[in-house]
Amino acid sequence: MAHQVPSLENLIDQLERLPSIGRKSATRLAFHLLRAPAEEAKAFVDAIVQARDSIRECAVCCNLAEEEQCPVCTDPERDRTVLCVVEDPQDVGAFERTREYRGLYHVLHGTISPMEGIGPDKLRIRELLYRVANEDIREVIMGTNPTVEGEATAVYIAKLLKPFGVSVTRLAYGIPVGGDLEYADEITLRRSLENRNEL
Amino acid sequence: MAHQVPSLENLIDQLERLPSIGRKSATRLAFHLLRAPAEEAKAFVDAIVQARDSIRECAVCCNLAEEEQCPVCTDPERDRTVLCVVEDPQDVGAFERTREYRGLYHVLHGTISPMEGIGPDKLRIRELLYRVANEDIREVIMGTNPTVEGEATAVYIAKLLKPFGVSVTRLAYGIPVGGDLEYADEITLRRSLENRNEL
């Protein structure tokens, strides 16, 4: 009834299914997409189709890739003795933006979450063990999120890695840079006290 | 560098061009579109293409339509003696949601805005004059936005309509229902005082 144009209603419905897009945003986006010049709309649609067609998982680290292997795995400059294990491809981006980490990655594509029926077999853990067994890896950094699931997954994987004799480390907990102590939660503050460094 | 997958970067860039979508939202949407089931992604892309292909302007009121005329113009139940002039197709939806208005519409597709180089000739004003001259219209309600541009456009059109002898009205200004007087701006409050009604 609202607009009474079925294909417009359908477009709004489709946009509303996207994460964190409500009815009003969906309507605004739909009108934008309708009014955009033809070449702009084509570029938008093509970007979705092309990304879905060309992106697959890197055969080594399970990160997103357009080739057999991702650009990090094929980069000869990277330190091949260190692996950072992350939950999602987005997390690789976060580490890359630090411009500090020079090792390789391993993307799990999720965390162990019994509540959501995600067991270890649904993650790329087998692929990780295969790498640790066959590559010359000395350290595995558990770069999962500081959540209950991320923590549990890190502990689970650390146990599995023990027999291989590699060093398994975890990201440091502490107060975020630029944050305000007043608003830090107690657990974070306690961890930041425990892990205090000499000045 | 961030993700190093060109087609993913391209998809994020395209999403970022949408109104009120920042880099972080665009990244989240891109990953959602990548991970969605194939049929869901296809439905999304098809919705854009189909809406663009099938939607045009109603030959009578210039609202969006899939046929020669929009559903409001072809509805025999509507009062054909009253026209509500609105800026955009979205505004038709707003009036329809009131379930109160039973007349027809006329969509200008913008407002007169010298700052943005939009003169009266860029709007569907000629089409409006043609309707008022040829249809049996008794009242034209100026339903443009309560902004400087909307106001100026309403006044401009009202002058043009004068020779046709139709009644030209304007939406009432006042305090919004459910609003808080404390936060009402002075101009709105002054208008609401001027237009006060007997209880």
Side-chain angles (χ1 to χ4, degrees):
Chain A
M1 175 70 179
H3 292 288
Q4 301 182 314
V5 183
S7 61
L8 176 59
E9 284 297 325
N10 179 40
L11 178 55
I12 295 173
D13 289 344
Q14 287 292 337
L15 286 161
E16 203 180 354
R17 298 179 68 174
L18 297 177
S20 68
I21 301 285
R23 191 76 191 168
K24 286 205 171 174
S25 298
T27 305
R28 197 172 51 232
L29 291 173
F31 277 102
H32 175 88
L33 288 170
L34 266 184
R35 285 188 189 130
E39 62 272 28
E40 202 177 308
K42 189 177 180 310
F44 180 73
V45 165
D46 286 350
I48 300 170
V49 173
Q50 207 210 321
R52 288 189 60 100
D53 284 351
S54 61
I55 293 177
R56 47 177 166 169
E57 278 184 27
C58 169
V60 178
C61 75
C62 307
N63 189 11
L64 300 182
E66 288 182 348
E67 313 291 332
E68 166 85 8
Q69 290 188 23
C70 78
V72 176
C73 284
T74 51
D75 184 347
E77 304 284 303
R78 310 292 296 221
D79 178 355
R80 314 193 86 78
T81 65
V82 187
L83 275 195
C84 181
V85 175
V86 295
E87 295 179 15
D88 294 304
Q90 291 98 307
D91 301 328
V92 171
F95 280 102
E96 287 298 284
R97 281 191 292 274
T98 66
R99 292 159 192 262
E100 175 93 16
Y101 181 67
R102 298 304 301 156
L104 302 177
Y105 295 96
H106 191 84
V107 182
L108 296 173
H109 289 273
T111 45
I112 300 169
S113 174
M115 296 282 280
E116 293 175 50
I118 303 171
D121 51 307
K122 294 235 174 109
L123 308 179
R124 308 295 185 277
I125 295 179
R126 231 180 326 240
E127 291 83 349
L128 172 63
L129 298 181
Y130 181 85
R131 292 180 73 184
V132 173
N134 292 284
E135 296 175 26
D136 182 25
I137 292 157
R138 293 188 199 152
E139 181 181 357
V140 175
I141 304 169
M142 297 307 308
T144 52
N145 282 318
T147 58
V148 174
E149 289 84 6
E151 207 56 59
T153 306
V155 170
Y156 177 85
I157 291 176
K159 268 190 197 155
L160 290 179
L161 291 177
K162 210 149 205 190
F164 294 97
V166 289
S167 153
V168 181
T169 57
R170 179 82 177 106
L171 293 179
Y173 284 105
I175 45 169
V177 178
D180 196 322
L181 277 189
E182 198 182 338
Y183 302 118
D185 65 290
E186 308 92 275
I187 303 172
T188 301
L189 206 51
R190 203 180 303 146
R191 294 276 200 137
S192 125
L193 262 174
E194 285 166 10
N195 298 329
R196 65 192 180 278
N197 302 306
E198 190 116 21
L199 271 181
Chain B
M1 177 68 180
H3 292 286
Q4 301 185 314
V5 183
S7 60
L8 176 59
E9 284 298 324
N10 179 39
L11 178 55
I12 296 173
D13 288 346
Q14 287 292 337
L15 286 161
E16 204 181 351
R17 298 178 69 174
L18 297 175
S20 68
I21 302 284
R23 190 77 189 167
K24 287 205 173 176
S25 298
T27 305
R28 196 171 53 232
L29 292 174
F31 277 102
H32 174 88
L33 289 171
L34 265 184
R35 285 188 190 130
E39 61 272 28
E40 203 179 308
K42 189 177 178 313
F44 181 74
V45 165
D46 286 352
I48 300 170
V49 173
Q50 208 210 320
R52 288 188 60 100
D53 283 352
S54 60
I55 294 177
R56 47 181 166 166
E57 279 183 27
C58 169
V60 177
C61 75
C62 307
N63 188 11
L64 300 183
E66 288 183 348
E67 313 292 330
E68 166 85 9
Q69 289 188 25
C70 78
V72 176
C73 285
T74 52
D75 184 348
E77 303 285 302
R78 311 291 297 221
D79 178 355
R80 314 193 85 77
T81 64
V82 186
L83 273 195
C84 181
V85 175
V86 296
E87 294 179 16
D88 294 304
Q90 291 99 306
D91 301 329
V92 172
F95 280 102
E96 287 298 283
R97 280 191 294 274
T98 66
R99 292 159 192 264
E100 176 92 17
Y101 182 68
R102 298 304 302 157
L104 301 178
Y105 295 97
H106 192 85
V107 182
L108 296 173
H109 289 273
T111 44
I112 300 169
S113 174
M115 296 282 281
E116 293 174 49
I118 303 171
D121 51 307
K122 295 236 174 109
L123 307 179
R124 308 296 185 276
I125 295 177
R126 226 179 331 236
E127 290 82 349
L128 172 64
L129 298 181
Y130 181 86
R131 292 181 73 183
V132 174
N134 292 285
E135 296 175 27
D136 181 26
I137 292 159
R138 296 194 193 144
E139 180 183 358
V140 175
I141 304 168
M142 297 309 308
T144 51
N145 281 319
T147 58
V148 174
E149 290 85 4
E151 208 55 59
T153 306
V155 170
Y156 177 86
I157 291 175
K159 268 191 198 157
L160 290 179
L161 291 177
K162 210 149 203 191
F164 295 96
V166 289
S167 153
V168 181
T169 56
R170 177 82 177 109
L171 293 179
Y173 284 104
I175 45 169
V177 179
D180 196 324
L181 278 187
E182 197 181 339
Y183 302 119
D185 65 288
E186 308 91 276
I187 302 171
T188 301
L189 205 52
R190 203 180 304 146
R191 295 278 199 136
S192 125
L193 263 175
E194 286 167 9
N195 299 329
R196 65 190 181 278
N197 302 308
E198 193 115 19
L199 272 181

